[in-house]
Amino acid sequence: MALFLVSRTDRHDYDEYDAIVVRAGDESTALKIATNGEEERYGDHVYWDAAFSGFQRDGSNLRVEELVSEGPEGVVIKSFHAG
């Protein structure tokens, strides 16, 4: 398993994710984790409720990069965009 940084390639708004770090066996699995969600129904309207708001269901606004796990101690990622 490796760590992958999945980050947005487009602009983000308040209360949306712009990046996550996931543990996965490969880039494809990392992208699958990042685009997880459920189809929801409100009357006749069907919509995608993404696990990570702002991440497109098809991954079209995401980039996946494998992270090097070696290096000095310290913070790996900070991502804060409160509303």
Side-chain angles (χ1 to χ4, degrees):
M1 294 279 182
L3 294 177
F4 292 90
L5 170 64
V6 183
S7 56
R8 300 263 302 262
T9 58
D10 61 350
R11 294 178 50 104
H12 57 302
D13 206 349
Y14 294 118
D15 301 328
E16 288 186 343
Y17 289 86
D18 72 328
I20 61 172
V21 174
V22 300
R23 183 179 311 277
D26 54 35
E27 288 185 14
S28 176
T29 303
L31 187 60
K32 184 176 179 180
I33 292 167
T35 57
N36 187 33
E38 296 182 14
E39 278 192 354
E40 298 289 339
R41 203 173 267 283
Y42 186 73
D44 291 336
H45 181 69
V46 178
Y47 66 95
W48 181 249
D49 184 17
F52 303 102
S53 59
F55 284 22
Q56 295 296 320
R57 184 178 189 178
D58 63 0
S60 60
N61 69 335
L62 301 175
R63 174 180 52 234
V64 181
E65 303 171 70
E66 186 171 354
L67 300 174
V68 176
S69 60
E70 298 173 3
E73 268 185 12
V75 175
V76 174
I77 186 172
K78 284 185 179 183
S79 182
F80 180 77
H81 298 279

